[in-house]
Amino acid sequence: MTTTTTHPFSFPPTYNFPPFFTPQPNTNTRRDQLQKWSSLIQSWCRHHRQYRLSLIEAVESPLFHNAALRKRLDLREARAVLDWMAKSEEEGGGGLRAEWIDSPAGGSQAPKTVAWIWWRRPEEWADAIGDWIDETGQRGAVLTVYELVEGETTESREFHGMDTDAMLKTLNVLVKRGKAQVFGSEGQEGVKFF
């Protein structure tokens, strides 16, 4: 299934509910609110084929700013939502659906302004690529990362057009599983599938 951006994004009903934009004090209500924000952010990014989300830009976009209601999430609250998305469910978070790009592991001093949004986690993308490799008989084949991302043979696949860095993170999952080997210099990477 290929996602298209020819149709306008359809916001969920909660987007037009003013309290959606205000952090809720009740723990259960807050968790529900964070789940809804996570779902909205993932849907928005999937619709727009975005893999990276810049909070500086996003807080000015319709994603975090409902102009009709004159309500918005500020940068601090948008960061709190992504922080929650970046935690595992075991940690009380959103299931690793976000990952800070500009924050070193455990670094709370970093700016946290750009994050991967995993509407499919790298493990899920790896499964999709593995399925495509099997379906097209590409085991043992050597392909460039560019062919995977932009090639004609992947046009019907959801990973077509993927951010190259997101593709490399996905391929690293296949490497760890013993299903692929990535080689070559930056910008000219190739991958062999086993």
Side-chain angles (χ1 to χ4, degrees):
M1 180 181 99
T2 302
T3 307
T4 179
T5 58
T6 56
H7 302 290
F9 181 74
S10 181
F11 285 95
T14 54
Y15 182 77
N16 294 309
F17 187 54
F20 184 56
F21 291 85
T22 305
Q24 297 300 304
N26 177 283
T27 305
N28 292 333
T29 306
R30 176 65 171 163
R31 185 175 49 251
D32 186 52
Q33 179 185 38
L34 289 167
Q35 288 170 343
K36 287 179 176 153
W37 270 111
S38 176
S39 178
L40 171 59
I41 292 166
Q42 290 175 63
S43 296
W44 172 272
C45 289
R46 184 178 197 160
H47 179 83
H48 293 288
R49 306 284 297 155
Q50 272 185 266
Y51 297 87
R52 300 173 196 237
L53 185 68
S54 166
L55 286 185
I56 303 297
E57 296 169 12
V59 294
E60 299 301 323
S61 77
L63 175 59
F64 291 124
H65 181 208
N66 184 326
L69 291 179
R70 294 195 306 238
K71 290 284 200 176
R72 72 170 62 230
L73 280 192
D74 62 20
L75 183 60
R76 184 177 53 80
E77 180 58 16
R79 188 175 289 128
V81 170
L82 266 63
D83 275 340
W84 181 84
M85 290 174 66
K87 291 180 184 175
S88 69
E89 291 171 359
E90 292 79 26
E91 298 174 303
L96 305 174
R97 291 297 177 176
E99 179 182 345
W100 292 110
I101 295 173
D102 59 353
S103 175
S108 59
Q109 302 300 332
K112 290 186 176 181
T113 58
V114 181
W116 296 110
I117 301 300
W118 297 117
W119 32 284
R120 280 192 184 214
R121 288 190 294 268
E123 298 79 13
E124 295 165 333
W125 284 118
D127 292 340
I129 291 169
D131 290 346
W132 176 77
I133 292 297
D134 289 338
E135 291 168 17
T136 58
Q138 304 262 3
R139 293 271 173 225
V142 175
L143 300 169
T144 65
V145 172
Y146 180 83
E147 286 176 297
L148 286 171
V149 172
E150 300 294 337
E152 289 180 20
T153 58
T154 64
E155 284 180 349
S156 65
R157 298 301 177 142
E158 194 174 21
F159 59 83
H160 182 81
M162 180 184 255
D163 179 285
T164 302
D165 291 333
M167 176 61 78
L168 288 168
K169 286 180 85 57
T170 296
L171 292 173
N172 282 330
V173 172
L174 290 170
V175 168
K176 288 177 185 170
R177 291 177 180 172
K179 305 269 186 176
Q181 177 185 4
V182 177
F183 55 88
S185 59
E186 187 174 328
Q188 298 183 3
E189 295 89 353
V191 59
K192 181 171 183 172
F193 294 98
F194 309 118

PDB file of all heavy atoms in Angstrom, residues 3-27:
ATOM      1  N   THR A   3       1.154   5.265   0.363  1.00  0.00           N
ATOM      2  CA  THR A   3       0.429   6.411   0.892  1.00  0.00           C
ATOM      3  C   THR A   3       0.616   7.580  -0.059  1.00  0.00           C
ATOM      4  O   THR A   3       1.689   7.798  -0.582  1.00  0.00           O
ATOM      5  CB  THR A   3       0.964   6.772   2.290  1.00  0.00           C
ATOM      6  OG1 THR A   3       0.914   5.597   3.079  1.00  0.00           O
ATOM      7  CG2 THR A   3       0.135   7.849   2.935  1.00  0.00           C
ATOM      8  N   THR A   4      -0.415   8.331  -0.265  1.00  0.00           N
ATOM      9  CA  THR A   4      -0.346   9.460  -1.179  1.00  0.00           C
ATOM     10  C   THR A   4      -0.665  10.759  -0.451  1.00  0.00           C
ATOM     11  O   THR A   4      -1.367  10.757   0.538  1.00  0.00           O
ATOM     12  CB  THR A   4      -1.312   9.260  -2.368  1.00  0.00           C
ATOM     13  OG1 THR A   4      -1.229  10.396  -3.218  1.00  0.00           O
ATOM     14  CG2 THR A   4      -2.748   9.107  -1.912  1.00  0.00           C
ATOM     15  N   THR A   5      -0.125  11.840  -0.969  1.00  0.00           N
ATOM     16  CA  THR A   5      -0.402  13.142  -0.363  1.00  0.00           C
ATOM     17  C   THR A   5      -1.301  13.979  -1.254  1.00  0.00           C
ATOM     18  O   THR A   5      -1.422  15.168  -1.067  1.00  0.00           O
ATOM     19  CB  THR A   5       0.910  13.903  -0.079  1.00  0.00           C
ATOM     20  OG1 THR A   5       1.617  14.061  -1.310  1.00  0.00           O
ATOM     21  CG2 THR A   5       1.756  13.198   0.942  1.00  0.00           C
ATOM     22  N   THR A   6      -1.956  13.361  -2.263  1.00  0.00           N
ATOM     23  CA  THR A   6      -2.840  14.119  -3.136  1.00  0.00           C
ATOM     24  C   THR A   6      -4.136  14.503  -2.434  1.00  0.00           C
ATOM     25  O   THR A   6      -4.803  15.431  -2.855  1.00  0.00           O
ATOM     26  CB  THR A   6      -3.157  13.329  -4.425  1.00  0.00           C
ATOM     27  OG1 THR A   6      -3.714  12.075  -4.065  1.00  0.00           O
ATOM     28  CG2 THR A   6      -1.915  13.144  -5.260  1.00  0.00           C
ATOM     29  N   HIS A   7      -4.491  13.795  -1.403  1.00  0.00           N
ATOM     30  CA  HIS A   7      -5.691  14.102  -0.641  1.00  0.00           C
ATOM     31  C   HIS A   7      -5.286  14.872   0.614  1.00  0.00           C
ATOM     32  O   HIS A   7      -4.258  14.597   1.213  1.00  0.00           O
ATOM     33  CB  HIS A   7      -6.426  12.816  -0.239  1.00  0.00           C
ATOM     34  CG  HIS A   7      -6.816  11.982  -1.419  1.00  0.00           C
ATOM     35  ND1 HIS A   7      -7.796  12.358  -2.303  1.00  0.00           N
ATOM     36  CD2 HIS A   7      -6.349  10.798  -1.872  1.00  0.00           C
ATOM     37  CE1 HIS A   7      -7.915  11.448  -3.244  1.00  0.00           C
ATOM     38  NE2 HIS A   7      -7.044  10.483  -3.012  1.00  0.00           N
ATOM     39  N   PRO A   8      -6.112  15.830   1.041  1.00  0.00           N
ATOM     40  CA  PRO A   8      -5.773  16.562   2.268  1.00  0.00           C
ATOM     41  C   PRO A   8      -5.810  15.632   3.476  1.00  0.00           C
ATOM     42  O   PRO A   8      -6.546  14.649   3.495  1.00  0.00           O
ATOM     43  CB  PRO A   8      -6.841  17.652   2.361  1.00  0.00           C
ATOM     44  CG  PRO A   8      -7.949  17.212   1.470  1.00  0.00           C
ATOM     45  CD  PRO A   8      -7.366  16.287   0.444  1.00  0.00           C
ATOM     46  N   PHE A   9      -5.006  15.971   4.453  1.00  0.00           N
ATOM     47  CA  PHE A   9      -4.959  15.177   5.676  1.00  0.00           C
ATOM     48  C   PHE A   9      -6.269  15.347   6.429  1.00  0.00           C
ATOM     49  O   PHE A   9      -6.787  16.451   6.571  1.00  0.00           O
ATOM     50  CB  PHE A   9      -3.777  15.619   6.539  1.00  0.00           C
ATOM     51  CG  PHE A   9      -3.648  14.828   7.805  1.00  0.00           C
ATOM     52  CD1 PHE A   9      -3.175  13.534   7.776  1.00  0.00           C
ATOM     53  CD2 PHE A   9      -4.023  15.366   9.027  1.00  0.00           C
ATOM     54  CE1 PHE A   9      -3.067  12.779   8.943  1.00  0.00           C
ATOM     55  CE2 PHE A   9      -3.910  14.628  10.192  1.00  0.00           C
ATOM     56  CZ  PHE A   9      -3.426  13.331  10.141  1.00  0.00           C
ATOM     57  N   SER A  10      -6.794  14.254   6.941  1.00  0.00           N
ATOM     58  CA  SER A  10      -8.039  14.272   7.694  1.00  0.00           C
ATOM     59  C   SER A  10      -7.721  14.181   9.196  1.00  0.00           C
ATOM     60  O   SER A  10      -7.241  13.150   9.657  1.00  0.00           O
ATOM     61  CB  SER A  10      -8.909  13.092   7.258  1.00  0.00           C
ATOM     62  OG  SER A  10     -10.116  13.109   7.953  1.00  0.00           O
ATOM     63  N   PHE A  11      -7.970  15.251   9.912  1.00  0.00           N
ATOM     64  CA  PHE A  11      -7.705  15.274  11.346  1.00  0.00           C
ATOM     65  C   PHE A  11      -8.785  14.497  12.101  1.00  0.00           C
ATOM     66  O   PHE A  11      -9.951  14.507  11.712  1.00  0.00           O
ATOM     67  CB  PHE A  11      -7.662  16.714  11.870  1.00  0.00           C
ATOM     68  CG  PHE A  11      -6.407  17.442  11.508  1.00  0.00           C
ATOM     69  CD1 PHE A  11      -6.356  18.247  10.379  1.00  0.00           C
ATOM     70  CD2 PHE A  11      -5.265  17.315  12.275  1.00  0.00           C
ATOM     71  CE1 PHE A  11      -5.200  18.917  10.033  1.00  0.00           C
ATOM     72  CE2 PHE A  11      -4.096  17.975  11.946  1.00  0.00           C
ATOM     73  CZ  PHE A  11      -4.067  18.784  10.815  1.00  0.00           C
ATOM     74  N   PRO A  12      -8.411  13.837  13.205  1.00  0.00           N
ATOM     75  CA  PRO A  12      -9.403  13.113  14.008  1.00  0.00           C
ATOM     76  C   PRO A  12     -10.306  14.108  14.750  1.00  0.00           C
ATOM     77  O   PRO A  12      -9.940  15.268  14.948  1.00  0.00           O
ATOM     78  CB  PRO A  12      -8.538  12.312  14.978  1.00  0.00           C
ATOM     79  CG  PRO A  12      -7.290  13.115  15.121  1.00  0.00           C
ATOM     80  CD  PRO A  12      -7.061  13.742  13.765  1.00  0.00           C
ATOM     81  N   PRO A  13     -11.472  13.657  15.200  1.00  0.00           N
ATOM     82  CA  PRO A  13     -12.396  14.561  15.911  1.00  0.00           C
ATOM     83  C   PRO A  13     -11.776  15.227  17.140  1.00  0.00           C
ATOM     84  O   PRO A  13     -12.101  16.381  17.440  1.00  0.00           O
ATOM     85  CB  PRO A  13     -13.556  13.639  16.318  1.00  0.00           C
ATOM     86  CG  PRO A  13     -13.502  12.502  15.350  1.00  0.00           C
ATOM     87  CD  PRO A  13     -12.058  12.327  14.998  1.00  0.00           C
ATOM     88  N   THR A  14     -10.876  14.531  17.841  1.00  0.00           N
ATOM     89  CA  THR A  14     -10.283  15.122  19.047  1.00  0.00           C
ATOM     90  C   THR A  14      -9.473  16.381  18.739  1.00  0.00           C
ATOM     91  O   THR A  14      -9.290  17.213  19.616  1.00  0.00           O
ATOM     92  CB  THR A  14      -9.354  14.120  19.763  1.00  0.00           C
ATOM     93  OG1 THR A  14      -8.393  13.625  18.845  1.00  0.00           O
ATOM     94  CG2 THR A  14     -10.140  12.984  20.371  1.00  0.00           C
ATOM     95  N   TYR A  15      -9.015  16.536  17.506  1.00  0.00           N
ATOM     96  CA  TYR A  15      -8.242  17.715  17.105  1.00  0.00           C
ATOM     97  C   TYR A  15      -9.072  18.995  17.236  1.00  0.00           C
ATOM     98  O   TYR A  15      -8.531  20.073  17.399  1.00  0.00           O
ATOM     99  CB  TYR A  15      -7.754  17.528  15.669  1.00  0.00           C
ATOM    100  CG  TYR A  15      -6.896  18.638  15.131  1.00  0.00           C
ATOM    101  CD1 TYR A  15      -5.557  18.755  15.490  1.00  0.00           C
ATOM    102  CD2 TYR A  15      -7.422  19.567  14.233  1.00  0.00           C
ATOM    103  CE1 TYR A  15      -4.764  19.762  14.977  1.00  0.00           C
ATOM    104  CE2 TYR A  15      -6.634  20.575  13.716  1.00  0.00           C
ATOM    105  CZ  TYR A  15      -5.296  20.670  14.095  1.00  0.00           C
ATOM    106  OH  TYR A  15      -4.508  21.677  13.583  1.00  0.00           O
ATOM    107  N   ASN A  16     -10.385  18.859  17.164  1.00  0.00           N
ATOM    108  CA  ASN A  16     -11.276  20.016  17.272  1.00  0.00           C
ATOM    109  C   ASN A  16     -11.867  20.183  18.662  1.00  0.00           C
ATOM    110  O   ASN A  16     -12.822  20.930  18.849  1.00  0.00           O
ATOM    111  CB  ASN A  16     -12.387  19.903  16.218  1.00  0.00           C
ATOM    112  CG  ASN A  16     -11.800  20.025  14.826  1.00  0.00           C
ATOM    113  OD1 ASN A  16     -11.058  20.948  14.542  1.00  0.00           O
ATOM    114  ND2 ASN A  16     -12.121  19.074  13.972  1.00  0.00           N
ATOM    115  N   PHE A  17     -11.292  19.509  19.634  1.00  0.00           N
ATOM    116  CA  PHE A  17     -11.725  19.582  21.026  1.00  0.00           C
ATOM    117  C   PHE A  17     -10.669  20.387  21.793  1.00  0.00           C
ATOM    118  O   PHE A  17      -9.544  19.924  21.980  1.00  0.00           O
ATOM    119  CB  PHE A  17     -11.842  18.153  21.565  1.00  0.00           C
ATOM    120  CG  PHE A  17     -12.427  18.033  22.933  1.00  0.00           C
ATOM    121  CD1 PHE A  17     -13.648  18.597  23.250  1.00  0.00           C
ATOM    122  CD2 PHE A  17     -11.749  17.317  23.914  1.00  0.00           C
ATOM    123  CE1 PHE A  17     -14.191  18.472  24.514  1.00  0.00           C
ATOM    124  CE2 PHE A  17     -12.275  17.187  25.196  1.00  0.00           C
ATOM    125  CZ  PHE A  17     -13.509  17.768  25.485  1.00  0.00           C
ATOM    126  N   PRO A  18     -10.977  21.618  22.213  1.00  0.00           N
ATOM    127  CA  PRO A  18      -9.962  22.495  22.811  1.00  0.00           C
ATOM    128  C   PRO A  18      -9.089  21.872  23.911  1.00  0.00           C
ATOM    129  O   PRO A  18      -7.875  22.092  23.922  1.00  0.00           O
ATOM    130  CB  PRO A  18     -10.775  23.686  23.331  1.00  0.00           C
ATOM    131  CG  PRO A  18     -11.948  23.738  22.401  1.00  0.00           C
ATOM    132  CD  PRO A  18     -12.272  22.296  22.098  1.00  0.00           C
ATOM    133  N   PRO A  19      -9.638  21.037  24.831  1.00  0.00           N
ATOM    134  CA  PRO A  19      -8.769  20.467  25.869  1.00  0.00           C
ATOM    135  C   PRO A  19      -7.661  19.545  25.327  1.00  0.00           C
ATOM    136  O   PRO A  19      -6.698  19.254  26.035  1.00  0.00           O
ATOM    137  CB  PRO A  19      -9.737  19.685  26.767  1.00  0.00           C
ATOM    138  CG  PRO A  19     -11.038  20.358  26.569  1.00  0.00           C
ATOM    139  CD  PRO A  19     -11.047  20.785  25.122  1.00  0.00           C
ATOM    140  N   PHE A  20      -7.796  19.096  24.084  1.00  0.00           N
ATOM    141  CA  PHE A  20      -6.775  18.263  23.467  1.00  0.00           C
ATOM    142  C   PHE A  20      -5.421  18.977  23.451  1.00  0.00           C
ATOM    143  O   PHE A  20      -4.365  18.360  23.489  1.00  0.00           O
ATOM    144  CB  PHE A  20      -7.219  17.895  22.046  1.00  0.00           C
ATOM    145  CG  PHE A  20      -6.301  16.943  21.325  1.00  0.00           C
ATOM    146  CD1 PHE A  20      -5.966  15.714  21.869  1.00  0.00           C
ATOM    147  CD2 PHE A  20      -5.804  17.263  20.069  1.00  0.00           C
ATOM    148  CE1 PHE A  20      -5.141  14.824  21.191  1.00  0.00           C
ATOM    149  CE2 PHE A  20      -4.984  16.379  19.380  1.00  0.00           C
ATOM    150  CZ  PHE A  20      -4.649  15.153  19.939  1.00  0.00           C
ATOM    151  N   PHE A  21      -5.443  20.300  23.421  1.00  0.00           N
ATOM    152  CA  PHE A  21      -4.224  21.103  23.329  1.00  0.00           C
ATOM    153  C   PHE A  21      -3.691  21.549  24.691  1.00  0.00           C
ATOM    154  O   PHE A  21      -2.708  22.273  24.759  1.00  0.00           O
ATOM    155  CB  PHE A  21      -4.481  22.330  22.441  1.00  0.00           C
ATOM    156  CG  PHE A  21      -4.690  21.967  21.006  1.00  0.00           C
ATOM    157  CD1 PHE A  21      -5.947  21.594  20.541  1.00  0.00           C
ATOM    158  CD2 PHE A  21      -3.633  21.965  20.110  1.00  0.00           C
ATOM    159  CE1 PHE A  21      -6.146  21.232  19.219  1.00  0.00           C
ATOM    160  CE2 PHE A  21      -3.819  21.605  18.786  1.00  0.00           C
ATOM    161  CZ  PHE A  21      -5.073  21.241  18.341  1.00  0.00           C
ATOM    162  N   THR A  22      -4.330  21.108  25.769  1.00  0.00           N
ATOM    163  CA  THR A  22      -3.911  21.480  27.118  1.00  0.00           C
ATOM    164  C   THR A  22      -3.504  20.231  27.881  1.00  0.00           C
ATOM    165  O   THR A  22      -4.278  19.272  27.947  1.00  0.00           O
ATOM    166  CB  THR A  22      -5.082  22.162  27.864  1.00  0.00           C
ATOM    167  OG1 THR A  22      -5.535  23.271  27.082  1.00  0.00           O
ATOM    168  CG2 THR A  22      -4.652  22.644  29.234  1.00  0.00           C
ATOM    169  N   PRO A  23      -2.280  20.196  28.457  1.00  0.00           N
ATOM    170  CA  PRO A  23      -1.864  19.005  29.231  1.00  0.00           C
ATOM    171  C   PRO A  23      -2.885  18.705  30.329  1.00  0.00           C
ATOM    172  O   PRO A  23      -3.251  19.579  31.108  1.00  0.00           O
ATOM    173  CB  PRO A  23      -0.519  19.412  29.828  1.00  0.00           C
ATOM    174  CG  PRO A  23      -0.038  20.539  28.989  1.00  0.00           C
ATOM    175  CD  PRO A  23      -1.266  21.241  28.465  1.00  0.00           C
ATOM    176  N   GLN A  24      -3.323  17.474  30.370  1.00  0.00           N
ATOM    177  CA  GLN A  24      -4.354  17.073  31.327  1.00  0.00           C
ATOM    178  C   GLN A  24      -3.721  16.626  32.647  1.00  0.00           C
ATOM    179  O   GLN A  24      -2.743  15.883  32.653  1.00  0.00           O
ATOM    180  CB  GLN A  24      -5.203  15.951  30.729  1.00  0.00           C
ATOM    181  CG  GLN A  24      -5.963  16.380  29.484  1.00  0.00           C
ATOM    182  CD  GLN A  24      -6.907  17.529  29.759  1.00  0.00           C
ATOM    183  OE1 GLN A  24      -7.775  17.446  30.624  1.00  0.00           O
ATOM    184  NE2 GLN A  24      -6.723  18.628  29.030  1.00  0.00           N
ATOM    185  N   PRO A  25      -4.278  17.077  33.779  1.00  0.00           N
ATOM    186  CA  PRO A  25      -3.679  16.759  35.082  1.00  0.00           C
ATOM    187  C   PRO A  25      -3.953  15.330  35.572  1.00  0.00           C
ATOM    188  O   PRO A  25      -3.149  14.761  36.299  1.00  0.00           O
ATOM    189  CB  PRO A  25      -4.313  17.781  36.026  1.00  0.00           C
ATOM    190  CG  PRO A  25      -5.607  18.162  35.373  1.00  0.00           C
ATOM    191  CD  PRO A  25      -5.380  18.035  33.886  1.00  0.00           C
ATOM    192  N   ASN A  26      -5.059  14.734  35.167  1.00  0.00           N
ATOM    193  CA  ASN A  26      -5.394  13.383  35.593  1.00  0.00           C
ATOM    194  C   ASN A  26      -4.517  12.382  34.840  1.00  0.00           C
ATOM    195  O   ASN A  26      -4.407  12.440  33.612  1.00  0.00           O
ATOM    196  CB  ASN A  26      -6.879  13.121  35.320  1.00  0.00           C
ATOM    197  CG  ASN A  26      -7.293  11.715  35.662  1.00  0.00           C
ATOM    198  OD1 ASN A  26      -7.008  10.779  34.923  1.00  0.00           O
ATOM    199  ND2 ASN A  26      -7.974  11.575  36.799  1.00  0.00           N
ATOM    200  N   THR A  27      -3.907  11.449  35.544  1.00  0.00           N
ATOM    201  CA  THR A  27      -2.963  10.502  34.952  1.00  0.00           C
ATOM    202  C   THR A  27      -3.571   9.694  33.816  1.00  0.00           C
ATOM    203  O   THR A  27      -2.967   9.562  32.748  1.00  0.00           O
ATOM    204  CB  THR A  27      -2.417   9.549  36.036  1.00  0.00           C
ATOM    205  OG1 THR A  27      -1.851  10.339  37.080  1.00  0.00           O
ATOM    206  CG2 THR A  27      -1.370   8.618  35.482  1.00  0.00           C
TER     207      THR A  27
END
